[in-house]
Amino acid sequence: MPEGLVLRIMKVVVAVGASAAIVALTTPSVASAAQRAYKPPPTAAGIARSPERSASSLQSVRSAVSCPPLKLFGVRGSGETKSDYSGYGQTVWDVEQTVLDQVPGAKAEEVNYPAIPVVYPSAKHIPSFLQYIATRYHASEITGIKNLTNAVSTFISACPASYVVLAGYSQGAQVVGDTFLSHLTAAQRARIAGIAMLGDADFNGHSSVDIGSYSSGLSGVWAFDHSRRHVANALSNKVASYCTQGDPICNFGVGNVLACHDNGSLCPHVHYMDLYWRQHTYVVDAGDFLVARYHSLVPPVVIGPKKERTPVRGQ
């Protein structure tokens, strides 16, 4: 082949390659919005190698990218599904949003489990209702405990320098409380900055961790036929258990049960996101509590004038 022809072919190849590169840089992606927003962490192949960069430094980069400073695990309530607020359910979703809004870099994960529904009975069906709680409800809760324990254990093992907070509502509150108090090791509990339970079925009306307008003479529906939740003094500063007046799940009583049977949409148990405790709704107060617990361990970085916030329990 003539030398001049070879040179012309090489110039064409170079020109085509340069044009393709320019098109790739300037043409908008046709991926979905979620895909465009996602930025995968750098891998070893994507990190410039040099004689000074060791394997341990590459691992440090991976850990810094994948491990948030704080991770919230949220457990939805009875009758809520994976389709409800990304699997958190509305109550826990609101707590989660309060936390993520205040802690830069924090992440959250919903914990999947059956979360079987609870239907408030009429007076003659209360015995069968209690039997349902002791059998099918309990089996659902046990699955939640297993799944939450595995999720927390896996995260703490992968990110030993990070902290964790837990939030649960209704049946999910019982999952959170039982997991934290009975199914984690002491070393794992040390990485839990705080837990918030709303409408806990194992609510103890005489505990120092209680918050809300509840009646101290009533406890949770699970505690009605079992022992009430006990939080050791050494752990009490990490725990907040919210219960509002008239909630038959955390303040079990025939009057509260029948009131919710007759007016399900008005039942206080389903209104923690719009009922107020002090100056905030219950969900915002719960989120503030978790943030305060985290910042008691990792003080926030303040840039500019310090913004005063309403104190919450635990600060």
Side-chain angles (χ1 to χ4, degrees), residues 43-58 61:
T43 62
I47 300 174
R49 294 184 180 274
S50 69
E52 295 78 21
R53 186 178 293 278
S54 64
S56 61
S57 65
L58 289 175
V61 171

Side-chain angles (χ1 to χ4, degrees), residues 1-224:
M1 184 179 296
E3 183 178 350
L5 179 58
V6 173
L7 291 174
R8 285 198 296 272
I9 291 174
M10 291 177 65
K11 289 179 180 180
V12 170
V13 171
V14 171
V16 170
S19 299
I22 292 172
V23 170
L25 289 172
T26 58
T27 303
S29 171
V30 294
S32 67
Q35 289 171 320
R36 291 197 300 271
Y38 175 67
K39 296 180 179 179
T43 62
I47 300 174
R49 294 184 180 274
S50 69
E52 295 78 21
R53 186 178 293 278
S54 64
S56 61
S57 65
L58 289 175
Q59 183 60 43
S60 298
V61 171
R62 293 192 192 101
S63 298
V65 171
S66 60
C67 290
L70 178 67
K71 181 74 172 281
L72 179 147
F73 289 95
V75 190
R76 62 179 175 264
S78 302
E80 296 178 320
T81 70
K82 283 185 67 66
S83 299
D84 296 322
Y85 290 82
S86 300
Y88 295 95
Q90 184 175 1
T91 301
V92 174
W93 170 267
D94 287 351
V95 176
E96 175 226 17
Q97 291 298 297
T98 302
V99 172
L100 298 189
D101 285 348
Q102 296 182 57
V103 182
K107 301 295 182 183
E109 179 181 330
E110 59 89 12
V111 175
N112 188 35
Y113 78 116
I116 63 170
V118 173
V119 178
Y120 301 114
S122 61
K124 68 178 181 179
H125 292 126
I126 287 181
S128 59
F129 168 76
L130 293 174
Q131 177 65 19
Y132 175 85
I133 293 294
T135 54
R136 290 190 59 202
Y137 173 97
H138 184 50
S140 174
E141 193 236 343
I142 290 297
T143 300
I145 290 173
K146 290 179 180 178
N147 293 350
L148 177 59
T149 300
N150 288 338
V152 170
S153 299
T154 298
F155 175 76
I156 290 176
S157 295
C159 301
S162 300
Y163 283 100
V164 171
V165 290
L166 309 177
Y169 160 64
S170 188
Q171 188 177 159
Q174 191 172 9
V175 168
V176 163
D178 287 353
T179 298
F180 175 71
L181 295 171
S182 304
H183 294 270
L184 298 178
T185 67
Q188 289 170 337
R189 280 198 297 268
R191 304 310 302 176
I192 307 294
I195 76 169
M197 300 175 286
L198 298 100
D200 177 22
D202 203 17
F203 183 82
N204 180 348
H206 297 286
S207 174
S208 63
V209 303
D210 297 343
I211 301 174
S213 58
Y214 63 91
S215 169
S216 60
L218 298 175
S219 293
V221 61
W222 180 259
F224 179 79

